[in-house]
Amino acid sequence: MRSGASWIYLSLVFLALLAGVLWMGRTKMASVAEAGRGPIPAPAVDEHVSAPATETAVFAGGCFWGVQSVFQRVKGVTATTAGYSGGTKETANYRDVSAHRTQHAEAVKIVYDPSKVSYGTLLRVFFSVVHDPTQLNRQGNDIGESYRSAIFLSTPEQQKVAAAYIAQLDEAHTFPKKIVTQLVPLEAFYDGEDYHQDYAEKNPHNPYIQVCDVPKIAGLKQQFPELFQEYERK
């Protein structure tokens, strides 16, 4: 719907989207922002820093434009790729995924240096400012299975850290509703089309980006100033 829609359509819906800014902001911060407590708690269980210089995480949390735009600005993240995970290679394309004809979720592959940012810290950002983990098969006005909240797990340690963190947040009633984020073994990640890569950076004046993604970047800078870095597209 987003990139396939004409600019005329986007202009027509801009006012409606703008009217929903406050509500969209509520979904990103949920009860944490309402309570004025700042960032959600750090994970009590985190990964053990091992020998490899880089590791990979794959997250799905609504439109991959916004997910990528946040993690591009996290210190210790060395590369991000927008793409698809959860379905087959044959259906890993935007036309089919956006029509919800596949098992894919819009996802982002994150390559990071665990000596600079841990997997648990990435999860904290994911749950804090990237999306609302209590919304089932949607994020705001983006509705459908491809917008689901999911963590695609590469290792048993990622499974351990993610499961423990979700339990920790639920037990603390950090959000007003139970977290619905799926924990799924990563079978494959398929790169998205070229025009989806760095989309928010290439199209900063797109009404969708202004309404839905710019506030997420601001949230990262406000809640995690020690992690924030400006992003320069190569």
Side-chain angles (χ1 to χ4, degrees):
M1 173 179 170
R2 300 178 309 273
S3 63
S6 68
W7 280 104
I8 294 176
Y9 177 81
L10 285 173
S11 298
L12 290 174
V13 301
F14 176 65
L15 291 179
L17 287 170
L18 189 60
V21 168
L22 293 179
W23 180 80
M24 290 292 289
R26 284 168 58 89
T27 67
K28 294 180 185 70
M29 305 302 179
S31 63
V32 175
E34 293 172 3
R37 293 178 292 174
I40 64 175
V45 176
D46 207 341
E47 70 178 334
H48 173 72
V49 177
S50 53
T54 60
E55 294 183 7
T56 300
V58 177
F59 298 142
C63 171
F64 46 20
W65 297 343
V67 179
Q68 183 180 41
S69 67
V70 171
F71 283 111
Q72 285 172 331
R73 291 169 169 80
V74 175
K75 292 179 181 178
V77 171
T78 58
T80 61
T81 306
Y84 313 105
S85 197
T88 65
K89 180 179 180 180
E90 291 72 23
T91 60
N93 63 82
Y94 186 67
R95 180 192 62 197
D96 290 336
V97 174
S98 62
H100 311 293
R101 293 194 289 257
T102 75
Q103 298 298 311
H104 282 296
E106 291 192 12
V108 173
K109 179 174 68 175
I110 302 157
V111 180
Y112 66 100
D113 182 343
S115 69
K116 296 180 180 178
V117 62
S118 70
Y119 185 70
T121 299
L122 296 179
L123 289 175
R124 192 182 184 197
V125 171
F126 178 65
F127 286 122
S128 293
V129 299
V130 168
H131 79 313
D132 178 355
T134 70
Q135 291 195 23
L136 182 63
N137 292 333
R138 69 179 298 169
Q139 284 297 304
N141 294 324
D142 289 333
I143 301 172
E145 187 180 19
S146 65
Y147 299 118
R148 66 188 182 271
S149 174
I151 300 171
F152 294 93
L153 305 155
S154 301
T155 66
E157 188 168 29
Q158 288 187 358
Q159 164 75 37
K160 177 182 176 181
V161 173
Y165 196 33
I166 290 174
Q168 175 188 336
L169 296 176
D170 275 340
E171 289 171 6
H173 302 289
T174 303
F175 299 99
K177 295 185 291 184
K178 190 176 179 64
I179 292 172
V180 297
T181 305
Q182 298 176 352
L183 300 183
V184 186
L186 178 64
E187 295 185 1
F189 177 88
Y190 303 98
D191 291 3
E193 293 82 353
D194 288 344
Y195 68 89
H196 284 303
Q197 309 305 327
D198 294 330
Y199 189 91
E201 299 304 306
K202 296 174 184 174
N203 302 275
H205 302 300
N206 182 319
Y208 183 95
I209 300 301
Q210 287 290 317
V211 172
C212 299
D213 298 340
V214 170
K216 297 180 183 182
I217 297 170
L220 174 68
K221 189 173 185 178
Q222 179 183 18
Q223 293 196 46
F224 302 98
E226 73 284 359
L227 294 177
F228 185 84
Q229 64 180 2
E230 296 294 344
Y231 175 68
E232 295 184 6
R233 183 161 58 94
K234 299 178 181 179

